[in-house]
Amino acid sequence: MRKFFVRNLPGYAFLTPWLLGFFLLALGPMLISLYLSFTKWDMVGDPQWVGLAQYEYMFLKDKRFWQSLDVTFTYVILAVPARLAFALMIAIVLDKGIRKIGIYRALYYLPSILGASIAIAILWREIFNIDGVVNAVLINFGIQGPNWIGNPDTSLYTLVVLAMWQFGSPMLIFLAGLRNIPTELYEAAEIDAASKAKQFFSITLPLLAPVLFFNIILQTIEAFKTFSSAFIISNGDGSPADSLLFFTIYLFNEAFTYFRMGYASALAWTLLIIIGLFTAVSFYTSKYWVYYENERD
Amino acid sequence: MKKINRRQLLQGMVTGAGCVAAASMFGSAAFAADTRIRHFWWGNPSRDERTYKVIDLFKNANPGFDVAGETIGWGDYWTKMATQTAGKNMADLVQMDYRFLFEYVHRGALLPLDEYFGKTLHLEDFDKSAIAGGMVDGKLYALNIGSNSQVMIYNKRLFAEAGIEFDPIKWNQAEQMDIAKKLSASTPKGVHGIDDATMNPIVWEAWTQQRGKTFYADGKVQAVAADLESFWEYWKEMRESGAAPSADVSVANLGFKMTESGIVTGATAMSQFWSNQIVGVQSLMKDEIGAAMLAHKKGGMPGQFIKPSMFMALTRDTKNPELATKYMNAWVNDPAQTAILGLERGVPASSKVRAALEPNLTVSEKVSVDYFNAIQSSVGPLPPPPPKGAGEVNAAFIRMGTNVILGRISIKDGAAEFIDEASSIVERAS
């Protein structure tokens, strides 16, 4: 035992910064928030133990909780496939050996870097505002466009379009995946006179499955956690009429606008469990459709 | 790229997903030095500039002592305040709002000021009503640093062009309707009479008080659905007659930003504000503006009231209350300091300070002071402090107003649903 420690001490010493960060900034706050989710706490007094009352209120009485789930799931279901389809499409186009591909890759990746920023969210607001760019274009065709952002029926879709536009990082991963598909397979298919579509569905897609799976998981988790763009576009409170009440926005408001830390913690853990469940189900089903070349069983 | 296998993928996933639930707690380092006090306020560029100048004046007059100013916008102010309160690291002096005063006093976060009267704090020139507004349970917890009231700001040029004469202090809601319609008819296309108040909880609160009820009484919702229906019907007529802009235009300013209000963008001739915003609105406009009361109900009760716009309060975390109250005192009494602060935070509560400011007022400041003086006999008493959850009720009002204005719910159902929702929000918050 002692020998083990002496031998590994330098290793742990080098790990210390990470360990400190992990225990103090990740695990510690997580455990505290788990405890808080069973309490009522307004940040000023002391937390009062209320058992499962927060969860009971959430599932049985809180209409806005269900509204926030509705908004978040609608967004995940629309934005993730849209972004991935778009990313795959661009990746396939870029894979065709275009000259100066580096420039195009950088260019297409740009929105993803910018996308997380506040400036883009504000820009998006202006584009889809009632007197924004979109409506200015539409008016040339004699169409008076609606207030895309201000109308609860359309506001969420402007965010889906924003998500689609930020296809850069899954695109890069797809591109790397495409490069890994042996060209012999396509050559063989050409000789057998397989159409491009046939090649895509019989060669590209199956061989890309692990990468696709990776992208689906990452993008879905990302989509569940959508915050900053929605926060800016919805004035920070999910408006208009709660149509942009993402789960994270609701959580943030409960915590930092209404100071219900207990309830907000309960919401955070519910989100963690939802994401965890989703990921577990994806992994479970993946063995039926994801093929790993180097897998041995 | 290396091929990924199932295990590597899983490892990557676990590290990535873990961080969702962790709520971060931030706090700044505590400053324990007794010769130093911290002053924390919500601000805007003009307010911050004035306040830092005042801090410098105080430091020059009191060598050996230091004042640290901290400022942030209204939206983040209460978040930062709550985290600092939780971390037992509040600034010595904080800016306080009427809505939150009682909450903070009852949580034990603020100290009473009574023991400093006549010693470091001198309030002999203060209006009695201004002092009363900062009392909780018979003790003074908050020093009034400005008062204001609701106001309907109107564009004098558009009014003159439409040939409209009216009494801005006495006018009633029927007259307001006629004037708004007339303005829309006589101004160029795209300019309307008045901002739609369907989603405006401040105009609604005045409406309900004109009908003999306060929004809240005894910590419960007292307003009734019938009054809300008549309110929304009134604004529906405004909208449908073209006196107010279309619903799509109105929902574009859900953030209620001054720069996006109808009078500033030129979309309307009248917008509702608080009276300490008159100077700010005028600075954004070329046309001269005037100040009118929110239109009265004919034969009704007063709907408006004069409210302390901001307070300064002493916190339980202060290390040097003598210095802090001395700073407070200079802030509201010192001629040089009050001259710099002017009317930016509202009309000062000290009659002596008001008299000293009078000769040097700008045109828009004069509009503001004249308005304040003119409404004195037409306002009702300050309503009881709103219960916990009032801020949330306002957000709910805006939500339901959005549904009503867009026709997603009928006025009748919307009004009933809002009153229900407001009651349960207040009940849950208490």
Side-chain angles (χ1 to χ4, degrees):
Chain A
M1 190 69 196
R2 189 152 167 226
K3 218 173 162 185
F4 171 83
F5 266 115
V6 170
R7 204 179 42 185
N8 290 314
L9 202 60
Y12 283 105
F14 279 116
L15 266 180
T16 315
W18 185 85
L19 284 176
L20 277 180
F22 176 69
F23 285 112
L24 293 180
L25 300 175
L27 192 63
M30 275 179 78
L31 291 179
I32 293 173
S33 94
L34 180 62
Y35 160 70
L36 286 176
S37 77
F38 298 108
T39 66
K40 212 179 147 175
W41 188 42
D42 65 358
M43 295 180 82
V44 177
D46 295 317
Q48 298 163 326
W49 185 265
V50 292
L52 285 171
Q54 303 284 24
Y55 292 93
E56 201 183 307
Y57 178 83
M58 189 191 305
F59 287 104
L60 300 180
K61 291 195 188 139
D62 190 358
K63 280 190 209 156
R64 294 190 80 203
F65 164 71
W66 292 105
Q67 169 69 14
S68 74
L69 278 186
D70 188 8
V71 169
T72 310
F73 273 96
T74 311
Y75 177 79
V76 169
I77 289 165
L78 293 178
V80 173
R83 180 188 282 184
L84 290 183
F86 209 64
L88 184 56
M89 209 175 77
I90 303 284
I92 287 172
V93 171
L94 287 187
D95 192 38
K96 293 281 175 268
I98 300 168
R99 270 188 298 169
K100 301 255 162 57
I101 191 166
I103 296 174
Y104 288 101
R105 267 200 307 237
L107 220 58
Y108 284 118
Y109 192 61
L110 207 60
S112 308
I113 304 172
L114 298 173
S117 77
I118 301 300
I120 288 295
I122 292 171
L123 177 75
W124 214 252
R125 243 189 115 92
E126 296 311 316
I127 289 176
F128 285 98
N129 225 329
I130 187 156
D131 44 10
V133 179
V134 171
N135 284 351
V137 171
L138 284 179
I139 206 104
N140 292 330
F141 300 99
I143 304 164
Q144 173 57 56
N147 186 350
W148 302 97
I149 298 243
N151 192 317
D153 297 327
T154 51
S155 52
L156 187 58
Y157 303 110
T158 63
L159 274 174
V160 172
V161 176
L162 176 61
M164 227 169 113
W165 184 56
Q166 294 159 4
F167 57 85
S169 60
M171 180 201 73
L172 282 190
I173 296 172
F174 277 137
L175 204 51
L178 288 172
R179 285 291 160 88
N180 267 321
I181 300 177
T183 43
E184 307 94 84
L185 296 177
Y186 291 107
E187 284 160 12
E190 291 281 347
I191 289 167
D192 288 343
S195 67
K196 286 279 175 214
K198 181 79 183 165
Q199 289 179 23
F200 175 77
F201 286 107
S202 300
I203 301 172
T204 314
L205 215 49
L207 287 179
L208 214 53
V211 173
L212 184 63
F213 178 56
F214 178 80
N215 267 338
I216 289 177
I217 300 269
L218 273 196
Q219 294 302 320
T220 308
I221 292 175
E222 194 86 334
F224 270 117
K225 287 159 60 187
T226 299
F227 181 74
S228 51
S229 52
F231 185 81
I232 295 298
I233 288 174
S234 74
N235 289 314
D237 65 0
S239 59
D242 275 355
S243 63
L244 294 179
L245 189 70
F246 281 82
F247 201 97
T248 50
I249 302 246
Y250 187 44
L251 191 163
F252 179 87
N253 274 299
E254 285 294 306
F256 294 107
T257 309
Y258 305 128
F259 307 123
R260 286 192 280 259
M261 278 296 157
Y263 192 60
S265 299
L267 285 170
W269 277 89
T270 306
L271 180 60
L272 182 70
I273 288 163
I274 290 173
I275 294 179
L277 274 180
F278 164 80
T279 312
V281 169
S282 305
F283 269 96
Y284 182 75
T285 55
S286 74
K287 63 180 167 209
Y288 298 109
W289 64 275
V290 179
Y291 164 73
Y292 294 92
E293 255 181 290
N294 56 351
E295 196 154 283
R296 294 174 206 125
D297 353 53
Chain B
M1 186 178 134
K2 265 174 67 182
K3 290 196 182 85
I4 319 162
N5 68 27
R6 201 178 296 259
R7 174 169 299 174
Q8 287 166 333
L9 184 52
L10 192 65
Q11 283 170 343
M13 224 92 277
V14 169
T15 353
C19 311
V20 185
S24 62
M25 311 263 165
F26 22 76
S28 44
F31 301 101
D34 280 356
T35 55
R36 175 189 167 103
I37 53 168
R38 287 158 60 211
H39 177 202
F40 182 38
W41 69 91
W42 70 86
N44 57 47
S46 154
R47 179 175 306 156
D48 299 344
E49 196 189 318
R50 290 170 195 241
T51 312
Y52 282 119
K53 270 190 201 162
V54 163
I55 287 176
D56 285 340
L57 276 184
F58 183 80
K59 285 202 288 198
N60 290 340
N62 298 276
F65 294 107
D66 193 16
V67 181
E70 297 169 21
T71 180
I72 199 168
W74 166 270
D76 300 317
Y77 182 80
W78 298 102
T79 307
K80 196 167 177 200
M81 179 92 130
T83 43
Q84 291 188 341
T85 312
K88 309 223 184 305
N89 182 32
M90 294 175 89
D92 300 78
L93 295 168
V94 292
Q95 194 159 292
M96 227 339 118
D97 181 77
Y98 188 61
R99 187 200 298 169
F100 295 105
L101 174 62
F102 293 75
E103 264 179 74
Y104 275 87
V105 170
H106 287 147
R107 290 156 161 185
L110 304 179
L111 298 178
L113 299 168
D114 303 58
E115 59 178 292
Y116 305 101
F117 283 171
K119 291 173 196 157
T120 43
L121 195 57
H122 300 275
L123 302 179
E124 292 80 11
D125 301 319
F126 260 52
D127 297 345
K128 292 282 165 290
S129 64
I131 294 180
M135 308 266 281
V136 181
D137 306 332
K139 282 185 176 165
L140 183 72
Y141 280 93
L143 182 67
N144 182 312
I145 53 173
S147 293
N148 63 13
S149 183
Q150 302 90 331
V151 62
M152 186 65 76
I153 296 183
Y154 64 96
N155 184 322
K156 279 190 168 171
R157 178 180 63 85
L158 292 175
F159 268 61
E161 281 172 13
I164 290 163
E165 302 262 331
F166 78 119
D167 182 341
I169 301 301
K170 296 251 155 62
W171 69 329
N172 63 42
Q173 279 144 5
E175 287 164 357
Q176 176 175 257
M177 179 74 78
D178 291 341
I179 290 173
K181 285 178 182 170
K182 211 171 149 192
L183 279 162
S184 293
S186 63
T187 49
K189 192 172 173 288
V191 180
H192 300 268
I194 190 165
D195 278 3
D196 196 331
T198 302
M199 301 174 292
N200 186 327
I202 295 158
V203 178
W204 148 245
E205 184 180 20
W207 181 278
T208 196
Q209 295 200 136
Q210 288 162 347
R211 281 147 189 82
K213 301 225 165 40
T214 49
F215 202 154
Y216 307 100
D218 305 322
K220 290 201 182 71
V221 173
Q222 196 194 33
V224 292
D227 286 342
L228 187 50
E229 279 177 38
S230 66
F231 178 73
W232 278 338
E233 291 290 351
Y234 178 84
W235 289 99
K236 189 181 175 197
E237 191 186 336
M238 284 279 193
R239 192 161 59 244
E240 289 183 346
S241 66
S246 71
D248 256 351
V249 172
S250 297
V251 293
N253 185 22
L254 277 179
F256 297 98
K257 293 192 183 78
M258 186 186 277
T259 46
E260 287 176 35
S261 63
I263 191 164
V264 172
T265 60
T268 62
M270 285 181 263
S271 298
Q272 182 270 325
F273 287 97
W274 289 99
S275 61
N276 59 336
Q277 294 172 304
I278 290 174
V279 177
V281 172
Q282 181 67 79
S283 71
L284 294 171
M285 289 182 56
K286 275 195 209 112
D287 293 335
E288 203 183 317
I289 56 170
M293 288 189 79
L294 302 187
H296 301 278
K297 177 183 191 291
K298 211 172 179 183
M301 317 262 288
Q304 264 182 241
F305 44 84
I306 290 172
K307 156 187 170 296
S309 55
M310 285 167 217
F311 295 108
M312 201 191 294
L314 184 66
T315 71
R316 55 138 205 244
D317 295 339
T318 182
K319 298 277 186 328
N320 192 341
E322 277 75 29
L323 180 65
T325 46
K326 202 174 162 192
Y327 174 77
M328 264 177 156
N329 186 61
W331 176 282
V332 291
N333 289 317
D334 183 76
Q337 293 197 19
T338 49
I340 290 172
L341 293 167
L343 300 169
E344 202 281 321
R345 278 180 168 84
V347 176
S350 156
S351 52
K352 216 170 169 181
V353 169
R354 280 201 300 268
L357 288 176
E358 198 93 51
N360 302 317
L361 294 179
T362 64
V363 177
S364 54
E365 284 175 335
K366 198 163 173 347
V367 170
S368 170
V369 173
D370 288 347
Y371 173 72
F372 204 74
N373 290 334
I375 63 173
Q376 295 291 336
S377 56
S378 307
V379 293
L382 183 63
K388 262 189 180 181
E392 213 178 334
V393 171
N394 279 358
F397 186 87
I398 295 168
R399 278 203 299 278
M400 193 57 78
T402 310
N403 283 326
V404 166
I405 203 171
L406 291 168
R408 289 158 55 95
I409 191 169
S410 74
I411 285 179
K412 202 169 163 27
D413 294 348
E417 234 177 78
F418 169 73
I419 298 291
D420 276 356
E421 195 181 349
S423 308
S424 50
I425 287 171
V426 170
E427 197 183 313
R428 182 182 174 213
S430 62

